[in-house]
Amino acid sequence: MRVPLSWLREYVDLPATETGRDVQAKLISAGLEVETVEHLGAVLKGPLVVGQVLTIEELEGFKKPIRFCTVDVGQANGTGEPQEIVCGARNFSVGDKVVVVLPGATLPGGFSISARKTYGKTSHGMICSSDELGMGDDGTHGIIVLPPETEVGKDAIELLELVDEVLDIAVTANRGDCLSIRGVARETAIAYGLPLRDPALLDVPGPNAYGYPVKVSDPAGCDRFTARTVTGLSPEARSPIWLQRRLQKVGMRPISLAVDVTNYVMMELGQPLHAYDRHQVQGTIGVRRAQEGEKIVTLDGVERKLHAEDLVITDDRGPIGLAGVMGGADTEIADHDPSEEGAGATTDVIIEAAHFDRVSVARTARRHKLSSEASRRFERGVDPQAAAAAAQRTVDLLVLLAGGTAEAGVTEVVAPGAPHTITMAADHPDKVAGVTYGRETVVRRLQEVGCDVYGQDELIVTVPSWRPDLTDPNDLAEEVIRLEGYENLPSTLPRPPAGRGLTARQRLHRRIGRALAGAGYVEALNYPFVSEQVFDQLGLEADDPARRVVKLANPLSDEEPALRTSLLPGLLAALRRNDGRGSHDLALFETGLVFQPRDAAEVAANLPVDRRPSPDDIAALNAALPDQPRHVAVVLAGAREQAGWWGKGRPADWADAVEAARTVAREAGADLRMRKGQYGPWHPGRCAELTVTVDGAERVVGHAGELHPRVLKTLGLPARACAMELDLDVLERVGDTVPQAPSISTFPVATQDVALVVDAFVPAADVEAALREGAGELLESIRLFDVYENAEQLGEGRKSLAYALRFRADDRTLTVDEASAARETAVALAADRTGAVLRG
């Protein structure tokens, strides 16, 4: 919210010596975030005066139109003679009043003006545009043409209010009252201890039966609707300079008188308004919910398909506006075109000042991706009692500036309601702040905010209509504390109990992160939001449990309304993004929560804030939350080992993804087993299913391997990319993280190699499991060191797996017979389970 200091002074008698920086400090102390103070016209120096164009000579022979003008500037040039000026603009004529800067002046940006020869003429100054004076966009993109009655020679710096200070305030979502000059003036008056001249205190006529007919069919969506009518507006009337300048200073562009007046009152009082061309409105104005599929063309020229939850303004034809967001093009105020003798200009208007439900407006604005100044205010809270005053203020300005006539009819539709009342102990702010304020201070501060306060030890506080954010005693305590000054609160450091260090769960997560980082992976943290289309892209079956998602009631993006059930969508998006930016050799990992909906959905209760929640409260809250297991996932692409003088290097493959799973399992102390698998995004022939034993039953905890080519193509990922994902909570449950000292034998190892021929589809992990079980307790380790396929030697569809078996005993040196017997037993069991035969 941009607040000109000159406008603020109209409602608060600030000391003349107070600067924008001083006001900034006061407002920051009161809790408002004043980001910057802009000094308009800080380096501007005159003479800058009003001139009247006397003659215009068109200069020929140049690439662009050039005009040599003589301008009457009165006695501002010291001679009274016409000023000769060269100008390239064409939006002014002989007799027009313009702004002239004379030699010796300095314009914004430090641009000094002097007489200079250009286009064969000597130009003694400039005829100025709004951009050159730092005024902002006035919609003309040309020279400023002043009203005919403007006095020649008058100081244009004062006339155009070019010197001012503007405070830029970042208004938080709960302080909608400060999205107006009125609201900021109230805070300023409180901060300085000065009285406020409230611009909303106007004499407003009561409603009568002669007003324009209005029907509100949805009082929950619109609890107040005021309509006033002004007729006989002059088509030639234009917004005066002071009004245009105030709009420009707050960041708005002047458009036409009727629109400018509604915008001006909105910025002044905080009440959004809308002006309808009365001749374009057909029948009764209504407020209702839209019918599904209805359409409206809004003022920005876009046709919008309405949703059944949209609140709309209607006439007999249908919707003519999105309530609280934007009006419709059918009833738009038409501006005067001088070339058409006033044809088509709006002369009669209906003024709407209504109060709409903030949630409804926010959802409509977000649904249609249509944020406006009106919706921004309604979303944060608008004073419903200000509607009638805002309508009256608008009527008064239109009558004053456009020569209109206010009709006697006043329409006001109001839903029954009562002021919000809060009961609070008088010492409650003291307890919250840890400071003794006393009842008198509490009552005084609440009354300054606008509350009506009654009672002694227990206060009954009636909240003002412009502060809908005050809903409970803690809100009132916050008002007292901020106005007394946060800086005056004593700094008391808490005394924490003796440190207990990290939990076992936290230590495990850190160890896993360090282990993966040590293995060459880079941690990538991703947002937990996904679209449901990603499950189709990952190739999940229609009945896959991962498709059951928790949807957000108010998502950051409509394209990603669900919480993730897997870490892969975010990691694969990070892989694609980095690959697209030139990083082709990638190894990323993430540990994070996934979200799984419960079978019986429960609604979370609002916990109390004045005491610690009880164990039952916390248990009920947790029961309403979705299951949130922690997963770990990795993705790989490109080279796993770089090529160089030391060798050729190698690309990342499915075995690296499997090894990452083994790394995680080792850190968790879990016995992770692998077998051939087929699931979702993984290649069916290069996918390992990862299992552990939980309570005596085998449980699948993840998958690892190479991704399916179809998934890679759909997601735009590099070829042969690999991935792994594990349920970390299950690994933690079955794992033993107690450090185990290795058993070191002083006796020598006996090594036996074995090469087994099996069918090509038999997983190596199954063969290894059979060999391990058959070899018995003497087996120290087993390693697959060769895979060989040759149809001529092994037969079609066969492969050879070569393993190195190491045998060792703790108490003796093994004999050759013992080692060979263990080897033969292992081969026999592998043959029985997998059909393996010794090669050769």
Side-chain angles (χ1 to χ4, degrees), residues 637-655:
R640 185 66 176 137
E641 295 179 4
Q642 295 292 334
W645 58 265
W646 52 84
K648 297 181 180 179
R650 69 174 183 84
D653 60 18
W654 62 270

Side-chain angles (χ1 to χ4, degrees), residues 463-474:
V463 175
S465 59
W466 57 82
R467 291 299 301 275
D469 58 307
L470 303 181
T471 60
D472 56 55
N474 286 311

Side-chain angles (χ1 to χ4, degrees), residues 192-216:
Y192 278 91
L194 297 171
L196 169 71
R197 288 189 291 274
D198 192 342
L201 294 180
L202 301 174
D203 292 329
V204 180
N208 53 52
Y210 308 107
Y212 198 90
V214 173
K215 179 181 180 182
V216 177

Side-chain angles (χ1 to χ4, degrees), residues 11-299:
Y11 310 127
V12 183
D13 290 326
L14 295 173
T17 57
E18 287 294 285
T19 66
R21 294 291 184 189
D22 298 329
V23 177
Q24 178 188 31
K26 285 283 189 179
L27 292 180
I28 289 177
S29 178
L32 294 185
E33 185 180 350
V34 184
E35 294 185 327
T36 61
V37 177
E38 182 181 355
H39 296 269
L40 302 182
V43 298
L44 180 64
K45 186 178 72 171
L48 186 73
V49 299
V50 176
Q52 183 173 22
V53 180
L54 301 178
T55 64
I56 297 177
E57 177 187 352
E58 302 288 344
L59 302 182
E60 305 293 340
F62 300 102
K63 293 183 179 180
K64 61 179 182 179
I66 299 296
R67 312 168 95 186
F68 180 66
C69 311
T70 58
V71 184
D72 178 13
V73 294
Q75 297 299 319
N77 58 4
T79 65
E81 296 295 324
Q83 200 78 3
E84 296 180 338
I85 298 175
V86 175
C87 183
R90 307 190 65 80
N91 67 313
F92 63 95
S93 306
V94 172
D96 284 344
K97 302 288 180 66
V98 294
V99 178
V100 178
V101 57
L102 301 178
T106 302
L107 294 183
F111 183 58
S112 298
I113 303 299
S114 61
R116 62 190 182 95
K117 191 169 183 178
T118 178
Y119 298 104
K121 300 285 187 178
T122 299
S123 181
H124 299 273
M126 288 174 52
I127 300 176
C128 298
S129 68
S130 59
D131 287 338
E132 290 165 339
L133 297 179
M135 296 169 57
D137 183 15
D138 63 355
T140 63
H141 303 290
I143 293 303
I144 301 172
V145 178
L146 300 172
E149 64 273 12
T150 310
E151 179 186 351
V152 172
K154 183 178 178 62
D155 184 0
I157 295 178
E158 178 183 351
L159 174 69
L160 300 177
E161 301 178 13
L162 297 179
V163 178
D164 203 350
E165 292 181 277
V166 179
L167 285 68
D168 194 351
I169 303 176
V171 179
T172 54
N174 65 320
R175 292 302 305 271
D177 61 304
C178 288
L179 286 174
S180 66
I181 304 297
R182 178 196 185 201
V184 177
R186 181 180 294 108
E187 292 294 318
T188 305
I190 295 173
Y192 278 91
L194 297 171
L196 169 71
R197 288 189 291 274
D198 192 342
L201 294 180
L202 301 174
D203 292 329
V204 180
N208 53 52
Y210 308 107
Y212 198 90
V214 173
K215 179 181 180 182
V216 177
S217 302
D218 190 338
C222 176
D223 57 6
R224 185 177 295 267
F225 195 108
T226 299
R228 301 289 298 275
T229 303
V230 180
T231 60
L233 300 180
S234 170
E236 290 80 18
R238 289 291 174 268
S239 300
I241 293 174
W242 64 265
L243 192 150
Q244 294 186 42
R245 287 297 294 135
R246 287 194 169 177
L247 289 178
Q248 288 173 333
K249 289 177 185 179
V250 298
M252 304 190 77
R253 180 171 64 87
I255 298 174
S256 63
L257 178 59
V259 176
D260 291 349
V261 167
T262 57
N263 285 338
Y264 176 85
V265 175
M266 176 181 68
M267 301 307 297
E268 183 181 54
L269 302 182
Q271 168 67 52
L273 301 109
H274 190 70
Y276 300 94
D277 187 327
R278 181 174 181 176
H279 298 296
Q280 301 299 325
V281 179
Q282 299 181 10
T284 301
I285 293 178
V287 183
R288 62 170 172 82
R289 297 290 172 175
Q291 298 174 8
E292 192 68 40
E294 277 188 309
K295 295 181 179 179
I296 183 176
V297 178
T298 46
L299 287 173

Side-chain angles (χ1 to χ4, degrees), residues 297-630:
V297 178
T298 46
L299 287 173
D300 57 358
V302 177
E303 182 179 81
R304 303 181 185 276
K305 186 176 180 180
L306 301 179
H307 188 275
E309 292 184 1
D310 291 336
L311 193 67
V312 293
I313 310 298
T314 65
D315 64 3
D316 291 350
R317 297 166 296 179
I320 59 174
L322 282 173
V325 180
M326 185 173 286
D330 289 343
T331 56
E332 180 180 8
I333 297 295
D335 199 9
H336 168 60
D337 186 348
S339 64
E340 298 184 8
E341 299 297 332
T346 298
T347 57
D348 302 339
V349 298
I350 301 172
I351 305 300
E352 165 209 308
H355 184 260
F356 301 111
D357 175 60
R358 64 168 73 183
V359 174
S360 176
V361 171
R363 288 180 175 173
T364 296
R366 182 165 297 180
R367 187 180 298 117
H368 294 283
K369 297 180 175 60
L370 186 61
S371 179
S372 64
E373 290 289 342
S375 68
R376 185 174 171 228
R377 284 162 174 78
F378 278 121
E379 289 174 18
R380 288 161 174 79
V382 169
D383 181 4
Q385 302 292 337
Q392 182 63 46
R393 176 73 164 139
T394 305
V395 169
D396 292 344
L397 286 173
L398 288 176
V399 170
L400 175 67
L401 302 176
T405 301
E407 290 194 351
V410 177
T411 302
E412 191 166 4
V413 180
V414 181
H420 181 55
T421 300
I422 302 171
T423 301
M424 180 186 73
D427 61 350
H428 181 68
D430 301 1
K431 294 179 180 179
V432 173
V435 176
T436 302
Y437 292 122
R439 180 187 176 279
E440 290 185 3
T441 299
V442 171
V443 172
R444 175 171 56 84
R445 288 302 189 185
L446 293 179
Q447 288 175 339
E448 286 177 348
V449 171
C451 299
D452 291 330
V453 186
Y454 303 95
Q456 293 297 321
D457 293 339
E458 186 173 79
L459 303 179
I460 300 175
V461 182
T462 301
V463 175
S465 59
W466 57 82
R467 291 299 301 275
D469 58 307
L470 303 181
T471 60
D472 56 55
N474 286 311
D475 294 328
L476 299 179
E478 182 182 5
E479 291 299 297
V480 175
I481 295 168
R482 77 174 179 87
L483 294 179
E484 283 295 304
Y486 289 118
E487 68 276 9
N488 295 323
L489 293 177
S491 298
T492 306
L493 294 177
R495 295 183 179 180
R500 301 183 180 90
L502 300 177
T503 64
R505 178 184 179 88
Q506 291 170 329
R507 288 196 297 270
L508 173 61
H509 295 163
R510 293 197 180 188
R511 286 203 312 274
I512 289 173
R514 285 195 295 265
L516 290 174
Y521 291 87
V522 176
E523 187 171 16
L525 301 178
N526 300 287
Y527 287 116
F529 313 116
V530 297
S531 67
E532 295 184 83
Q533 288 72 25
V534 75
F535 302 125
D536 296 327
Q537 296 170 339
L538 293 177
L540 300 186
E541 299 292 339
D543 58 348
D544 194 297
R547 286 182 175 269
R548 294 185 62 235
V549 296
V550 177
K551 289 189 176 181
L552 298 171
N554 193 19
L556 293 178
S557 169
D558 293 337
E559 297 179 356
E560 294 180 333
L563 292 173
R564 66 189 178 191
T565 56
S566 166
L567 300 181
L568 288 185
L571 271 180
L572 293 176
L575 181 71
R576 179 178 63 247
R577 184 164 54 251
N578 283 274
D579 181 72
R581 294 176 180 176
S583 298
H584 304 301
D585 302 325
L586 296 162
L588 308 177
F589 85 93
E590 180 179 9
T591 62
L593 301 179
V594 299
F595 304 85
Q596 300 167 351
R598 298 180 186 268
D599 294 332
E602 298 184 19
V603 178
N606 291 324
L607 296 183
V609 296
D610 58 343
R611 58 179 174 82
R612 177 182 174 83
S614 68
D616 291 341
D617 291 335
I618 297 176
L621 182 64
N622 289 332
L625 297 175
D627 290 328
Q628 301 175 55
R630 182 173 290 272

